[in-house]
Amino acid sequence: MSREIGGYLELERYQGEPYHPGAVALNSARNCLAYLAELRGIERIALPDLMCDAVSGTCEREGIAVRTFEVGEGFALPSELAVSEGEWLYVADYYGRLSCSEVERARSASGGRLVVDEVQGFFREPWAGVDTIYTCRKFFGVPDGAYLVTRDGSRLGRELPKGSSRARMAHVVGRMEDGSAEWYGAYRASEESIDAEPLAAMSETTRSLMAAVDFPFARRRREENYAILGEALGGRNRLAAGSPEGPYMYPLLVEDSAGLRDRLAEAGVFVPTLWPNVLAECPAPSWAHRSARDVLPLPVDQRYNRDDMEYVASCVKSVLR
C-alpha cells in the first residue's frame, strides 16, 4: 500500500505491552497447533477425550494422526501416560487446574513432545520445556487472536500473512451498545468463520485491542468474582473448585444439569455447554461426558462485580432447589 497521510481516523492504535511477551501472535488457538505441526513436524498426537472438535479438526486438516486418551475424574491426567516413540501429547488445562507435577509427568512421558492447551488459563505463565497455547477471545472482548509460546523460542522461517478481523467486529461492538440478544447470531457466525481461517498472524485490530487491556485489573477481578461464587456455592459444588490464577469460569458440578441452563438463561445468566461434541462422542459413564453435561461454567470475568456474582449465586440456588 502506498503511504497515506491525513484523511479520517481509524480505530485507535494502543501501545500497551502484551501479557505474554515474545509469544508468536496468531489469528486463532487452533492455528497455534497448525503452526506447531509445521514447526515441529508433528505427524501423530494423543488428544484428551474432553476436547472441542476444533482441535481434532485442525489435526485432520494438517494430516496429523490422532489417538484419544481418557481424562480422569476431576480433570486428572491418566495414571498411566503411555506415549509411543515419535508421538506428541496434547494436555489441556481445564479451568486453570493443571498442576506442575502433572505437567512434569506429561513432559517426562512424552520425552518433551508436549503441547499444553491454556485456552482456559490465559493468565498462567508458559510451562517450561513445553509448547504452550493461549487464546484471547475467551478472556477479552476481541474478535479473534491467540498466542503460542514455544519451548525454545523457535519460530517458522517464513513470514505469515496478516490476519483480518474486520468481518468479525460487529458482534463485539454490537454487544457493548445493544446487549447480546440482537448480536448472538453474528457471534455464532463469527465463531464458525474462525474454523475456516488459514494460519495467519494476529490482525492489527486484535493486536491493538489487546494492547489496551488492563491485565492486572482483569486478573484481580476474575479472582475476586471466583472467590465470591466459591464462598456462596462451594457447599453445593461436587467438584473441588480450587483457586486458579485469573480464572476462566467457575466450574459448578451438579448431579443433574437437565433444564438448568435454560432456567438460568430465563433469569439472564447464560451458561454455555463448552464441549457439545463430547456429549455425542463419549459414553455417558465417562468423566468427559459427565463434565461436559453437568459442569455449569459460571461467568466470573472482569465485566462483573460482587453484586453481579451474588445475583448469579442467588439464581443458581433458586434453580437447584
Side-chain angles (χ1 to χ4, degrees):
M1 178 186 294
S2 60
R3 180 183 296 183
E4 295 182 341
I5 299 177
Y8 70 88
L9 295 171
E10 72 268 29
L11 184 69
E12 197 67 27
R13 294 176 185 265
Y14 300 103
Q15 304 300 320
E17 293 298 318
Y19 193 79
H20 297 289
V24 184
L26 298 172
N27 56 340
S28 69
R30 66 202 68 187
N31 278 329
C32 289
L33 179 55
Y35 189 103
L36 281 174
E38 182 177 344
L39 179 68
R40 306 293 189 202
I42 300 174
E43 297 180 349
R44 293 180 291 122
I45 197 166
L47 300 179
D49 56 353
L50 183 60
M51 181 55 53
C52 68
D53 51 13
V55 176
S56 58
T58 299
C59 290
E60 181 179 359
R61 185 184 76 190
E62 300 300 318
I64 303 171
V66 171
R67 175 177 66 85
T68 303
F69 63 89
E70 289 188 16
V71 174
E73 186 166 349
F75 306 106
L77 289 178
S79 56
E80 296 293 330
L81 273 174
V83 183
S84 61
E85 184 66 28
E87 183 179 53
W88 282 69
L89 180 62
Y90 192 98
V91 171
D93 186 6
Y94 302 105
Y95 297 101
R97 301 162 57 89
L98 193 64
S99 69
C100 294
S101 61
E102 286 179 308
V103 172
E104 180 54 35
R105 186 162 64 88
R107 191 192 64 80
S108 177
S110 65
R113 299 182 304 278
L114 175 63
V115 181
V116 176
D117 178 333
E118 282 293 355
V119 164
Q120 296 186 1
F122 183 88
F123 289 98
R124 302 204 76 173
E125 291 296 313
W127 296 96
V130 304
D131 298 315
T132 310
I133 293 173
Y134 301 91
T135 190
C136 301
R137 73 185 193 282
K138 290 187 182 297
F139 279 77
F140 309 104
V142 295
D144 45 41
Y147 296 107
L148 169 64
V149 179
T150 59
R151 67 190 183 207
D152 51 8
S154 59
R155 294 177 177 242
L156 290 176
R158 65 181 179 92
E159 186 174 352
L160 296 177
K162 185 73 72 174
S164 175
S165 299
R166 60 181 176 269
R168 285 189 291 272
M169 285 296 294
H171 69 282
V172 178
V173 178
R175 169 147 196 178
M176 174 177 285
E177 297 182 351
D178 305 320
S180 63
E182 182 177 342
W183 294 97
Y184 185 74
Y187 161 74
R188 291 305 313 162
S190 174
E191 291 292 295
E192 291 169 6
S193 76
I194 291 174
D195 288 338
E197 286 286 304
L199 174 60
M202 183 182 289
S203 74
E204 285 301 320
T205 299
T206 297
R207 191 184 298 270
S208 180
L209 290 172
M210 288 298 295
V213 173
D214 184 342
F215 294 114
F217 169 79
R219 174 174 174 163
R220 182 175 66 252
R221 179 58 63 85
R222 283 174 174 270
E223 291 171 354
E224 290 169 354
N225 288 342
Y226 190 98
I228 293 167
L229 289 187
E231 183 178 353
L233 300 173
R236 299 168 184 260
N237 197 349
R238 296 176 177 269
L239 178 70
S243 300
E245 307 161 52
Y248 171 50
M249 290 181 162
Y250 179 85
L252 176 67
L253 175 60
V254 297
E255 183 65 29
D256 182 5
S257 67
L260 295 185
R261 284 177 172 82
D262 289 340
R263 292 167 63 192
L264 286 170
E266 290 171 1
V269 178
F270 302 106
V271 179
T273 299
L274 295 182
W275 301 281
N277 58 294
V278 168
L279 298 176
E281 295 169 359
C282 297
S286 68
W287 170 257
H289 186 101
R290 183 187 176 201
S291 57
R293 182 191 64 198
D294 292 334
V295 172
L296 301 178
L298 303 178
V300 297
D301 61 75
Q302 57 272 14
R303 293 172 292 181
Y304 307 118
N305 56 27
R306 172 174 288 276
D307 182 64
D308 298 312
M309 293 300 97
E310 289 175 350
Y311 178 74
V312 170
S314 173
C315 291
V316 169
K317 290 176 182 178
S318 177
V319 301
L320 288 178
R321 289 194 186 104

